[in-house]
Amino acid sequence: MKTYRIALVPGDGIGKEVISAGREVLQALAGTANTFQFEFTHFDWGGDYYRRHGAMMPPDGLDALRGMDAILFGSAGDPEIPDHVTLWGLRLKICQGLDQYANVRPTRILPGIDAPLKRCKPEDLNWVIVRENTEGEYSGAGGRVHQGHPIEVATDMSVMTRAGVERIQRYAFRLAQSRPRKLLTVITKSNAQRHAMVMWDEIAAEVAKDFPDVTWDKELVDAATARMVNRPSSLDTIVATNLHADILSDLAAALAGSLGIAPTGNINPERVYPSMFEPIHGSAFDIMGKGLANPVGTFWSVVMLLEHLGEIHAAQRVMCAIEHVTANPELHTRDLGGEATTAQVTQAVCAEIRSAGKPGQAPSLA
Ligand code: NAD
Ligand code: MN
């Protein structure tokens, strides 16, 4: 029997609630599988850790993660600590430190979900956004001098490297090639940003030559927002810089019904370091501690984690269980217009996994 070492980093706010739900789902799955099991290591990093130790995670924290097979992450963000301290002190530290340069964000409208676009059918919206995850606008380069004085200067420098751009473009072309439509849209802003984004466009055109079977086009990021709303079916795989994809993927999540459903994987494609999977939402201060968080974004992230481990059949079983549960409006949390609690949705998904795992019984949504 294979044992996968999984790091659980719940972080803050509803991160704590959804990651414990994600662990329950993984345990339910392991209970029905006889080829693998999970060994969980829990890391109490985040806002509470910061209040005790003055840092979001220990200085040698990355060393503890390196030996893991995968990381399941909740959220970094605490009402009492500035957002740039929490995000940089934990999530971005892990993404950069473990070189998780491809941030992959699938979006589609799950069964039973009432998506806000009246002319968009579920089959019209099936996207994967690939976000550059280590440089660009969130490189961390920049600084502030003369703080508080009238001559104060502050910069956030967007840094793009040929190596960084080429590897993310290549990853996106490969992903597009693996999907049925073999369609890629490269998001840019090279009309206004005339240095790095022009290089970004040039590299896309170069990489495209190695993928003659992929149809690709270029779209300016502002126009892309309108295209996502007006012509969703014209898009399939999308690649964009760190900031652009950050914004576009929140829009994508909302168009598919709720931020609470959307998953993501921070991938180190070469597998030198473990990859990290997380719902795209944050700490949700307004609902934290109330048991109302939608855990589906975490469950879908668990599906991505299983796919990354090569457990394709197990991943499909969890996805079937999720879709079976979203199809029932009585199991919708408040963000979807329902009244179900985190615990009820979690129990329903676990029960679905257990019953579909019984011998002689076909999965309910094959
Ligand atoms: P948010 O995602 O926390 O919340 C936005 C809105 O969506 C809120 O109304 C919230 O209640 C709702 N929502 C989000 N997830 C939900 C879920 N699973 N179920 C039901 N409703 C849900 O975004 P925000 O308010 O911009 O940020 C709050 C904090 O989280 C900030 O500190 C921010 O920096 C942090 N944050 C962290 C991450 C991360 O670590 N990956 C991502 C985004 C935001
Ligand atoms: Mn974001």
Side-chain angles (χ1 to χ4, degrees), residues 62-321:
L62 289 178
D63 294 336
L65 297 178
R66 278 197 189 97
M68 299 287 167
D69 291 307
I71 304 161
L72 189 61
F73 185 85
S75 171
D78 183 290
E80 292 175 356
I81 307 169
D83 286 343
H84 67 277
V85 173
T86 52
L87 200 61
W88 275 101
L90 189 57
R91 185 175 172 277
L92 295 180
K93 195 167 169 176
I94 298 174
C95 290
Q96 286 194 347
L98 301 182
D99 203 22
Q100 296 161 343
Y101 65 83
N103 183 220
V104 178
R105 302 183 156 203
T107 309
R108 55 191 178 86
I109 302 174
L110 298 185
I113 302 298
D114 181 24
L117 289 180
K118 69 175 181 191
R119 275 181 276 120
C120 178
K121 299 184 286 297
E123 60 269 27
D124 292 337
L125 198 167
N126 186 345
W127 304 330
V128 187
I129 299 179
V130 177
R131 167 184 178 183
E132 201 296 316
N133 215 24
T134 53
E135 54 174 37
E137 306 88 343
Y138 300 173
S139 69
R144 285 176 74 174
V145 288
H146 309 304
Q147 280 194 42
H149 292 278
I151 55 164
E152 179 168 356
V153 180
T155 58
D156 279 300
M157 222 193 309
S158 176
V159 176
M160 298 202 192
T161 63
R162 179 167 279 276
V165 173
E166 184 174 339
R167 67 182 183 174
I168 197 67
Q169 299 280 6
R170 216 165 264 291
Y171 185 88
F173 270 96
R174 224 178 292 123
L175 183 65
Q177 194 176 42
S178 75
R179 287 167 57 87
R181 294 178 69 194
K182 300 191 194 304
L183 187 64
L184 178 70
T185 299
V186 177
I187 304 297
T188 187
K189 192 63 200 176
S190 51
N191 55 346
Q193 295 177 293
R194 59 197 176 138
H195 309 295
M197 290 311 296
V198 174
M199 180 180 78
W200 168 273
D201 292 357
E202 286 170 7
I203 293 173
E206 285 164 28
V207 172
K209 290 187 191 132
D210 293 337
F211 297 86
D213 54 338
V214 173
T215 307
W216 73 288
D217 67 347
K218 229 167 53 175
E219 189 76 79
L220 295 171
V221 63
D222 39 356
T225 58
R227 180 166 164 192
M228 286 166 72
V229 171
N230 293 326
R231 290 185 295 132
S233 65
S234 73
L235 296 160
D236 187 78
T237 308
I238 298 164
V239 62
T241 65
N242 214 330
L243 169 68
H244 291 167
D246 187 6
I247 297 168
L248 294 183
S249 56
D250 272 32
L251 173 59
L255 294 177
S258 171
L259 194 56
I261 290 178
T264 181
N266 302 282
I267 310 288
N268 174 253
E270 291 75 24
R271 296 175 185 256
V272 177
Y273 305 109
S275 295
M276 179 163 81
F277 301 84
E278 54 169 343
I280 82 166
H281 64 72
S283 300
F285 302 145
D286 50 338
I287 57 164
M288 66 182 189
K290 296 183 179 160
L292 299 174
N294 189 345
V296 169
T298 299
F299 299 161
W300 195 346
S301 304
V302 161
V303 171
M304 296 181 76
L305 181 153
L306 292 164
E307 285 168 349
H308 185 75
L309 295 178
E311 297 292 348
I312 306 301
H313 179 66
Q316 282 165 352
R317 281 185 46 212
V318 176
M319 199 67 221
C320 280

